[in-house]
Amino acid sequence: MNGYAANSTLNAQPALGKVAVLMGGASAEREISLMSGTGVLQALRSRGVDAHAFDPAQRDLTELRRDGFARCFIALHGRFGEDGTVQGALELLGIPYTGSGVMASAIAIDKVMTKRIWLAEGLPTPQWRKVASAEAARAAFAALGSPMIVKPAREGSSIGLTKVMTADECESAYARAAQVDEQVLCEQFISGEEVTVPVLGSGSRARALPVIRIVAPEGNYDYQNKYFTDDVKYLVPCGLPTGEEEQIQQMVLRAYQVLGCRGWARADVMIDARTRKPSLLEINTAPGMTSHSLVPMSAKAAGLSYEDLCVQLLQGAALDHDELEGRASGVQRESRP
């Protein structure tokens, strides 16, 4: 399994205890979260895990402790799910969870903060401006050129995103993004190939999975094409020139590590058609797990089934303070049962 699969999971499920699959939630990505959570729930149950659906929009998180849940699989997307808020609540409840901790989750959901850290660490990302008005978006357009991407700074799944071709489009593009998030990001458009790279694991043990190249109709990889059509082509093996895939994997792995991510994530990258230079767009710390999702697709190419991927992620459930104590003692602690 190319080193990506966990050690035998066949007899490990009883030790996982009662598991809550957090799904739904209150973000703009609720619909996708329900799709992801349903897939994860079925996969875990197929491997003998005592897994149950739990929607934080309909139930109080304190019920997790009351009902005896031992760990959580976070299948929530967007704000109130992968932004550190749920992670913080689970830290207080003492219930280990999948994915990144509080700080990494809060940073990664914010594209502006993510870019600032990546740039400080010497990692490439398209030029950008944070704007607070349509007039500021026009000024950003003058600086960044055409086309320009306008999108919410703290949202995913291409929700609220517009590709702006003229200055006159800036006002409507800004209004669309601002409906979703008061923080709006204007970003230089990179013309070229779009790829995505999942990462599994934590710290020095983290590994990048195979790169997926995304070929969307007329380059339009929007919300509809991402989740509800079969018009997008996903190429894995990606078919990139020799050495380019490994270069991108190493860049994404470093981007993941400098943000302090753990468990899993998926980073999106654009490759400039003229220079072949890759640029990091963003990173998702609770990626989709739907039938169209990319982490399962890449994992499958590495020899890891959807079901085993879900179990492996669940086995890695942890708490921030456990991770900190483990590093302080020089020992990698196991997640509590």
Side-chain angles (χ1 to χ4, degrees):
M1 295 197 182
N2 299 328
Y4 296 109
N7 293 331
S8 177
T9 61
L10 296 179
N11 299 313
Q13 285 76 355
L16 297 175
K18 187 178 180 181
V19 174
V21 178
L22 304 187
M23 53 197 285
S27 82
E29 298 181 71
R30 175 179 172 82
E31 182 180 14
I32 305 306
S33 173
L34 289 170
M35 294 164 60
S36 289
T38 299
V40 170
L41 184 66
Q42 293 173 350
L44 293 176
R45 287 177 173 175
S46 76
R47 289 293 190 265
V49 177
D50 182 19
H52 304 262
F54 192 104
D55 187 346
Q58 299 176 350
R59 301 177 64 184
D60 193 288
L61 288 173
T62 57
E63 294 181 28
L64 290 167
R65 176 182 282 176
R66 184 200 69 186
D67 293 346
F69 285 102
R71 62 184 68 202
C72 293
F73 191 114
I74 297 179
L76 299 165
H77 304 317
R79 282 175 288 177
F80 314 113
E82 59 179 308
D83 62 353
T85 53
V86 164
Q87 289 78 7
L90 295 174
E91 290 284 338
L92 292 173
L93 291 170
I95 302 174
Y97 53 90
T98 57
S100 292
V102 176
M103 184 178 71
S105 298
I107 292 172
I109 194 73
D110 189 323
K111 298 177 181 65
V112 171
M113 291 304 299
T114 296
K115 281 175 171 288
R116 286 171 175 162
I117 291 174
W118 282 343
L119 287 172
E121 293 289 336
L123 290 163
T125 186
Q127 295 181 49
W128 57 279
R129 300 286 189 279
K130 179 182 174 183
V131 300
S133 67
E135 292 74 20
R138 276 182 172 267
F141 183 82
L144 300 176
S146 177
M148 180 179 78
I149 300 297
V150 180
K151 57 187 177 183
R154 298 171 295 186
E155 199 53 83
S157 294
S158 299
I159 293 171
L161 181 147
T162 304
K163 184 179 179 181
V164 171
M165 304 300 295
T166 69
D168 290 340
E169 296 172 331
C170 289
E171 184 173 353
S172 60
Y174 174 81
R176 183 183 180 193
Q179 283 183 335
V180 181
D181 185 7
E182 62 183 11
Q183 293 189 29
V184 175
L185 175 67
C186 294
E187 185 175 60
Q188 173 194 22
F189 177 78
I190 304 295
S191 178
E193 295 174 289
E194 182 171 2
V195 299
T196 194
V197 188
V199 177
L200 300 182
S202 302
S204 62
R205 297 177 301 165
R207 297 291 182 270
L209 291 177
V211 173
I212 297 176
R213 185 156 57 96
I214 301 166
V215 183
E218 300 179 356
N220 189 23
Y221 191 47
D222 60 9
Y223 182 85
Q224 186 68 22
N225 279 328
K226 280 184 178 182
Y227 300 109
F228 301 107
T229 76
D230 294 315
D231 297 333
V232 179
K233 294 180 180 178
Y234 302 102
L235 305 180
V236 54
C238 61
L240 294 176
T242 303
E244 202 166 275
E245 177 173 18
E246 183 177 353
Q247 174 195 358
I248 291 171
Q249 286 176 311
Q250 290 304 312
M251 180 184 72
V252 166
L253 185 60
R254 184 156 176 259
Y256 175 93
Q257 291 170 330
V258 299
L259 294 181
C261 297
R262 71 165 190 250
W264 67 320
R266 196 199 76 241
D268 299 328
V269 177
M270 289 299 301
I271 304 170
D272 189 290
R274 182 177 58 85
T275 65
R276 303 305 300 174
K277 178 182 176 181
S279 292
L280 292 154
L281 296 181
E282 59 188 78
I283 191 165
N284 301 282
T285 55
M289 290 291 280
T290 73
S291 60
H292 284 64
S293 292
L294 304 177
V295 175
M297 190 182 304
S298 179
K300 182 178 180 181
L304 189 60
S305 71
Y306 182 97
E307 293 79 10
D308 287 339
L309 170 64
C310 291
V311 172
Q312 179 173 327
L313 293 172
L314 185 61
Q315 288 175 322
L319 291 165
D320 273 345
H321 68 260
D322 282 348
E323 292 283 311
L324 290 170
E325 289 174 10
R327 285 196 292 272
S329 65
V331 177
Q332 182 64 43
R333 294 167 59 126
E334 295 294 328
S335 300
R336 67 181 62 177

